[in-house]
Amino acid sequence: MGGMARLDALADRLSRIVGAGSVLTDPAELATYDCDGLTYHRATPGIVVLPDTAEQIAAIVRACAADGVPYVARGSGTGLSGGALPRTDGVLIVTSRMRRVLEVDAANQRAVVEPGVINLDVTRAARPYGYYFAPDPSSQQVCSIGGNVAENSGGAHCLKYGFTVNHVLACEVVTPDGEIVELTEGPGYDLLGAFVGSEGTLGITTKVTVRLTRLPETVQTLLAGFDTIERAGEAVSAIIAAGVVPAAIEMMDALSIEAAEAAVRCGYPPGAGAVLIVELDGPASEVDSQFARVKELCAEAFEIRVAADDTERGLIWRGRKSAFAAVGRISPDYIVQDGVIPRTTLPEVLARIDALSREHGVRVANVFHAGDGNLHPLVLFDGAEPGAGERAEEVSGKILDLCIEHGGSITGEHGVGIDKAKHMPRMFTAEDLDTMQMVRCAFDPAGLCNPGKVYPTPRLCGEVPGRRTGVHPLVESGKADLF
Amino acid sequence: MGGMARLDALADRLSRIVGAGSVLTDPAELATYDCDGLTYHRATPGIVVLPDTAEQIAAIVRACAADGVPYVARGSGTGLSGGALPRTDGVLIVTSRMRRVLEVDAANQRAVVEPGVINLDVTRAARPYGYYFAPDPSSQQVCSIGGNVAENSGGAHCLKYGFTVNHVLACEVVTPDGEIVELTEGPGYDLLGAFVGSEGTLGITTKVTVRLTRLPETVQTLLAGFDTIERAGEAVSAIIAAGVVPAAIEMMDALSIEAAEAAVRCGYPPGAGAVLIVELDGPASEVDSQFARVKELCAEAFEIRVAADDTERGLIWRGRKSAFAAVGRISPDYIVQDGVIPRTTLPEVLARIDALSREHGVRVANVFHAGDGNLHPLVLFDGAEPGAGERAEEVSGKILDLCIEHGGSITGEHGVGIDKAKHMPRMFTAEDLDTMQMVRCAFDPAGLCNPGKVYPTPRLCGEVPGRRTGVHPLVESGKADLF
């Protein structure tokens, strides 16, 4: 049976599982699902299916497995590494209809939600009880919890509050063999920890129990304008060295400020070489005294503004949160890079990025979570100019080299996805990657669950167990019954 | 070749790896390694080997694998679930000679240590820089980091600071196939999270990069005496509901207070039905105002004492930290139980434990990390009295039933080990356990790495992949090359 005929037959079977109205096969409809937030990579899915329940997802996965058809799960599709890029020969399982908040248990500080629930809606459900959901990706108004789990999403406040993995207490998961299992913290292996951030390669989340965080008594936010990025960097070091743990410390350089001004008129200090946004939250007594300390430590700033209320705080954040999109105002095209470096190497790496930019004649706007060394350089180019895209790609790749060279990582929060799989061997040895793939093969021996993502050289799982030696010699010799 | 002859030949090979002085085969020497902190289970190891390096451990593991001999790693051997119980037919790999602090990188808040390093020695190395290692099991003066990693150890302060897994940034690990790999946070699967707490079943840690925590500006500690355990429990709920996050909230009941007094004369308030120890730490401004609030919330206490200095604080903690051993003063034998319940069910579960105790005529002393619902009931008995041990075991098991029934867990921080493997099916479905064993088999197909621990029904790994269906049908049919 040819590929198309096979997909047609599968679409019929999927219709019997979810109802015909929840299976899309019309090319025009399929085309709207051809990418996630990383629009550079595109592929029209063979079939789109919109399930309502975990049992339906389990049945869909079993149907795909029976036909040997690959599948990809996605929620809102806001990811920035192409982790939810569909397969033209496969099924895209979209969880956006599964958006019920099933329970808010304020006394035990947890909520249970379906994977399609929007990040900010968890906070909306919890706020009446005095709680919120701490992970706050910039896309929090549209991104969904299932995707947050898949990518282990962070956000501006993960410096103090940690990533999604620190706020997920349990996941119900459909495994690649179509079973529904519960992954929790507690006895046995912490497969929950391995599942969160596995970028859709180990199964599909169908229910998530999240930790709720107490709304802070007070929030204080300042915006400090510095002449140079070096001075802003020194202020960051001084704040951290003083033992202050801000909820967030964000930095933007002149070019990203220019973009944000053009887009949302956030009114940042004119002429700044860099701005810092520093936010403290917690008990009023602590915040007030530490905020005074932070202001002292920003003494080199030529201007410091303190948000007087939530509206002013919102305005300060608007510039930062819109920064990626805003770059579109000053450049027709851009690449959002995502890398990590040890905080102490910040000044040196920034100087090297600046040198790279001048050397290659490519503009780079820097926006980053300065407190935890997570850089988001925006590499600008004009796709209409021949060779410009390639030059931008080259600079973007060299920035990752800098991160690795300084003991950092190729991704802080956007994930590896399809975009950075090729960079994995620059961070990990063959043995390290084999160890990861052993786990993937244990879950998904047929390699149908979001294949082609994360790992640079997908291989037949038969090659992996026992690794370079094939099947473990003890299994082969029958000695494995010793235990 | 018979079992003994095989071990003799292996001992010779191990001597060539580590030197003859580092391999123990004398029965008298072997006998001193026959248990860990859970002395109820004993088994004299076939061979003990004391390596100095990761390369030696890798060679030892390969030698064991070649002969099909099981092995168990241990550090100081203070675990309380028999996780480091040796095998009479196997090798015990003791890491206590690997106790170098390799690096303290204060600027990036991390230290690199060998697995045999004592928990408190990490803090001793970091303190001159203003940092410490936050996880603080009661055994922290003797327990080693390798064991902390294997068991994901907690401690009194994990309410605020989290468990070992929250303080480990990377592990160098010898895998069961004798390779040395690096597990880190970052791109790819978080195998670090799965490895921490895997109780020695996925490999042996040979180097650990830990997160250092800033020493708090201030610490304030109070001891509050209550007439009844219910009133103490209400104070705990009130403190948590007020949004205060103490560094620790510990509770002890009358019987455990009696034991602690008999052992260390800690001078707790006479006649108390329960005491609470509440400790706050952090910036002075925050601690001072929140401490005042905590004192208000303990209004039902008949006596509140505040530690005026470190000596008084030490005295308050001495009673708590010695509580397990102290119970030996009031009972010839006892079982230390370890269970978890949602904090809100504390009053009900305590009443049920009290009823169980009276019903069975078995005394139960309660010591617990009240803030996070981690109970440590001490079930007292006299081994000389016929049937007493069995009755104590029964009550101890029923306490776990209560924990599960109330949505909790069979272990909070002591691990499953050999002791609780039989209870795992009470928390997990067969599918859940199969999913965990898939991972074990991916790492250790021959089942030689700490076999018999954690899982109730070890099985041949050949049975696990594809689970109930054997090898995945797609692998069998050759369709697996689709990806």
Side-chain angles (χ1 to χ4, degrees):
Chain A
M1 185 155 60
M4 288 312 291
R6 192 175 59 187
L7 285 184
D8 286 347
L10 180 57
D12 285 345
R13 271 199 303 284
L14 297 182
S15 294
R16 286 196 292 276
I17 295 167
V18 294
S22 300
V23 177
L24 311 182
T25 53
D26 174 348
E29 288 181 310
L30 294 176
T32 65
Y33 290 94
D34 72 347
C35 66
D36 61 12
L38 186 72
T39 56
Y40 177 75
H41 297 275
R42 290 183 187 266
T44 303
I47 302 173
V48 168
V49 57
L50 295 145
D52 291 302
T53 67
E55 288 68 27
Q56 288 178 353
I57 292 181
I60 293 163
V61 164
R62 285 194 301 268
C64 289
D67 277 10
V69 171
Y71 51 90
V72 177
R74 72 162 245 184
S76 302
T78 55
L80 289 170
S81 59
L85 182 75
R87 296 273 298 206
T88 53
D89 60 348
V91 175
L92 185 69
I93 303 171
V94 179
T95 60
S96 53
R97 289 188 181 167
M98 296 170 71
R99 58 197 321 161
R100 287 179 302 165
V101 174
L102 300 169
E103 190 191 346
V104 176
D105 176 2
N108 288 304
Q109 290 178 233
R110 58 187 59 194
V112 183
V113 303
E114 291 187 325
V117 169
I118 301 303
N119 174 297
L120 206 54
D121 284 343
V122 183
T123 288
R124 289 198 183 103
R127 195 180 282 136
Y129 305 94
Y131 291 90
Y132 75 112
F133 182 57
D136 63 335
S138 295
S139 56
Q140 70 183 133
Q141 304 198 23
V142 286
C143 67
S144 54
I145 294 294
N148 292 174
V149 167
E151 299 297 322
N152 187 23
S153 303
H157 292 79
C158 63
L159 170 62
K160 179 170 178 180
Y161 291 101
F163 286 77
T164 299
V165 70
N166 305 114
H167 299 270
V168 171
L169 301 167
C171 280
E172 181 186 83
V173 170
V174 171
T175 60
D177 59 359
E179 278 174 357
I180 300 173
V181 301
E182 180 82 11
L183 305 180
T184 57
E185 293 186 316
Y189 302 144
D190 183 11
L191 297 183
L192 180 63
F195 183 81
V196 176
S198 62
E199 307 194 18
T201 63
L202 299 181
I204 302 171
T205 327
T206 49
K207 196 161 72 182
V208 187
T209 304
V210 299
R211 185 196 306 285
L212 299 177
T213 302
R214 187 99 190 162
L215 285 165
E217 190 188 340
T218 312
V219 182
Q220 289 268 32
T221 311
L222 68 74
L223 177 75
F226 294 82
D227 289 329
T228 65
I229 203 157
E230 288 72 24
R231 287 199 171 154
E234 285 159 12
V236 173
S237 298
I239 291 165
I240 300 286
V244 178
V245 183
I249 309 187
E250 301 286 307
M251 203 194 292
M252 292 169 69
D253 71 1
L255 196 52
S256 54
I257 296 168
E258 181 191 332
E261 285 299 340
V264 299
R265 284 187 293 177
C266 43
Y268 284 179
V275 294
L276 280 189
I277 299 170
V278 185
E279 188 161 282
L280 299 181
D281 66 12
S285 55
E286 171 193 355
V287 170
D288 293 345
S289 76
Q290 299 225 333
F291 198 65
R293 184 97 186 86
V294 166
K295 279 191 277 190
E296 285 165 29
L297 294 166
C298 288
E300 293 290 310
F302 67 81
E303 182 177 343
I304 294 183
R305 288 186 206 164
V306 176
D309 54 30
D310 282 350
T311 308
E312 289 191 20
R313 183 172 7 269
L315 199 61
I316 289 176
W317 277 109
R318 203 165 79 185
R320 166 62 188 87
K321 293 218 170 185
S322 64
F324 293 0
V327 163
R329 297 293 184 113
I330 58 166
S331 175
D333 299 287
Y334 61 95
I335 299 167
V336 180
Q337 191 47 282
D338 169 43
V340 182
I341 52 171
R343 207 162 42 216
T344 48
T345 64
L346 208 64
E348 188 189 330
V349 171
L350 288 175
R352 297 275 300 271
I353 291 176
D354 190 43
L356 269 179
S357 163
R358 275 181 285 116
E359 226 167 83
H360 291 77
V362 171
R363 291 189 301 166
V364 180
N366 284 294
V367 175
F368 41 95
H369 306 312
D372 48 12
N374 186 187
L375 311 179
H376 290 307
L378 297 148
V379 184
L380 315 188
F381 67 100
D382 179 353
E385 185 192 313
E390 290 69 18
R391 276 205 309 283
E393 268 288 350
E394 193 190 344
V395 167
S396 180
K398 286 189 171 174
I399 291 175
L400 284 192
D401 284 335
L402 282 178
C403 292
I404 297 169
E405 194 185 306
H406 287 82
S409 168
I410 58 172
T411 171
E413 54 184 12
H414 295 173
V416 177
I418 193 121
D419 197 45
K420 291 188 171 173
K422 63 181 179 292
H423 297 304
M424 289 286 276
R426 293 154 74 186
M427 271 200 75
F428 296 104
T429 66
E431 287 79 9
D432 293 345
L433 290 171
D434 275 357
T435 303
M436 293 182 200
Q437 292 226 55
M438 279 192 324
V439 174
R440 181 178 199 159
C441 289
F443 274 80
D444 183 25
L448 296 175
C449 185
N450 207 13
K453 312 290 167 65
V454 184
Y455 299 102
T457 46
R459 51 170 102 186
L460 286 182
C461 287
E463 294 173 19
V464 177
R467 296 186 273 179
R468 281 190 294 286
T469 53
V471 172
H472 198 291
L474 301 177
V475 172
E476 220 160 35
S477 68
K479 282 190 184 162
D481 60 352
L482 281 167
F483 75 115
Chain B
M1 187 153 60
M4 288 310 292
R6 192 177 59 188
L7 285 184
D8 286 349
L10 179 58
D12 285 347
R13 270 199 302 284
L14 297 183
S15 295
R16 286 195 292 276
I17 295 167
V18 293
S22 300
V23 177
L24 311 182
T25 53
D26 175 348
E29 288 181 309
L30 294 176
T32 63
Y33 289 94
D34 73 345
C35 66
D36 62 10
L38 186 71
T39 57
Y40 177 77
H41 297 275
R42 290 183 188 267
T44 303
I47 301 173
V48 169
V49 57
L50 296 145
D52 291 302
T53 67
E55 288 69 26
Q56 288 178 353
I57 292 181
I60 293 164
V61 164
R62 286 195 299 269
C64 288
D67 277 12
V69 170
Y71 52 89
V72 177
R74 70 163 245 182
S76 302
T78 55
L80 289 170
S81 58
L85 183 74
R87 297 274 297 205
T88 54
D89 60 349
V91 175
L92 186 69
I93 303 171
V94 180
T95 60
S96 52
R97 288 187 181 167
M98 296 171 69
R99 58 198 319 162
R100 287 179 302 166
V101 174
L102 300 168
E103 189 190 346
V104 175
D105 176 2
N108 288 304
Q109 292 179 231
R110 57 187 60 194
V112 183
V113 302
E114 291 187 325
V117 169
I118 301 304
N119 174 296
L120 206 54
D121 285 344
V122 183
T123 288
R124 289 199 184 102
R127 196 179 284 135
Y129 305 93
Y131 291 90
Y132 74 112
F133 181 56
D136 63 336
S138 294
S139 56
Q140 70 183 135
Q141 304 201 20
V142 285
C143 67
S144 55
I145 294 296
N148 293 174
V149 167
E151 300 297 323
N152 187 21
S153 302
H157 292 78
C158 62
L159 171 62
K160 180 170 178 180
Y161 291 102
F163 286 77
T164 299
V165 70
N166 305 113
H167 299 270
V168 170
L169 300 168
C171 281
E172 182 186 81
V173 170
V174 171
T175 60
D177 59 357
E179 279 174 356
I180 300 173
V181 301
E182 181 82 9
L183 304 181
T184 57
E185 293 184 317
Y189 302 144
D190 183 11
L191 298 183
L192 180 63
F195 184 82
V196 176
S198 62
E199 306 195 19
T201 63
L202 298 181
I204 302 172
T205 329
T206 50
K207 196 161 75 183
V208 187
T209 304
V210 298
R211 184 195 307 283
L212 299 177
T213 303
R214 187 98 188 161
L215 284 166
E217 190 187 341
T218 312
V219 183
Q220 288 270 32
T221 311
L222 69 74
L223 177 75
F226 293 83
D227 289 328
T228 65
I229 202 156
E230 288 72 23
R231 287 199 171 153
E234 285 158 13
V236 172
S237 297
I239 291 166
I240 299 287
V244 178
V245 183
I249 309 187
E250 301 286 306
M251 203 195 292
M252 293 168 68
D253 71 359
L255 196 53
S256 54
I257 296 169
E258 182 191 331
E261 285 298 342
V264 299
R265 283 187 294 177
C266 43
Y268 283 0
V275 294
L276 280 188
I277 300 171
V278 185
E279 190 161 280
L280 299 182
D281 67 12
S285 55
E286 171 193 355
V287 169
D288 292 345
S289 77
Q290 298 226 331
F291 200 65
R293 184 96 186 88
V294 167
K295 280 192 277 191
E296 286 164 27
L297 295 165
C298 288
E300 292 291 309
F302 66 81
E303 184 177 342
I304 294 182
R305 288 184 206 163
V306 176
D309 54 29
D310 282 351
T311 308
E312 289 191 19
R313 183 171 10 267
L315 199 62
I316 288 176
W317 277 109
R318 203 165 83 184
R320 167 61 188 87
K321 293 219 169 183
S322 64
F324 293 179
V327 162
R329 297 294 183 113
I330 58 165
S331 173
D333 300 285
Y334 62 94
I335 299 166
V336 181
Q337 192 45 282
D338 169 43
V340 181
I341 53 172
R343 207 161 43 214
T344 48
T345 64
L346 208 66
E348 189 190 329
V349 171
L350 288 176
R352 298 276 300 271
I353 291 176
D354 190 43
L356 269 179
S357 163
R358 276 181 283 116
E359 226 168 83
H360 291 77
V362 171
R363 291 189 300 166
V364 180
N366 283 295
V367 175
F368 43 92
H369 306 313
D372 47 14
N374 186 190
L375 311 179
H376 291 307
L378 297 148
V379 184
L380 315 188
F381 66 100
D382 179 354
E385 187 192 312
E390 288 70 17
R391 277 206 308 282
E393 269 287 352
E394 194 190 341
V395 168
S396 180
K398 286 189 170 173
I399 290 174
L400 285 191
D401 284 336
L402 281 178
C403 291
I404 296 169
E405 194 184 305
H406 286 82
S409 167
I410 58 172
T411 172
E413 55 184 11
H414 294 174
V416 177
I418 193 121
D419 198 45
K420 291 187 172 173
K422 63 180 179 293
H423 297 305
M424 290 285 275
R426 294 154 74 186
M427 271 199 74
F428 295 105
T429 65
E431 287 78 10
D432 294 345
L433 290 171
D434 276 357
T435 303
M436 294 183 199
Q437 292 226 56
M438 278 190 327
V439 174
R440 181 178 199 158
C441 290
F443 274 81
D444 182 25
L448 296 174
C449 185
N450 207 13
K453 311 291 166 64
V454 185
Y455 298 102
T457 46
R459 51 170 102 187
L460 285 181
C461 286
E463 295 174 18
V464 177
R467 297 188 272 179
R468 281 191 293 287
T469 53
V471 172
H472 198 290
L474 300 178
V475 172
E476 221 161 37
S477 68
K479 283 190 183 163
D481 60 353
L482 281 167
F483 76 115

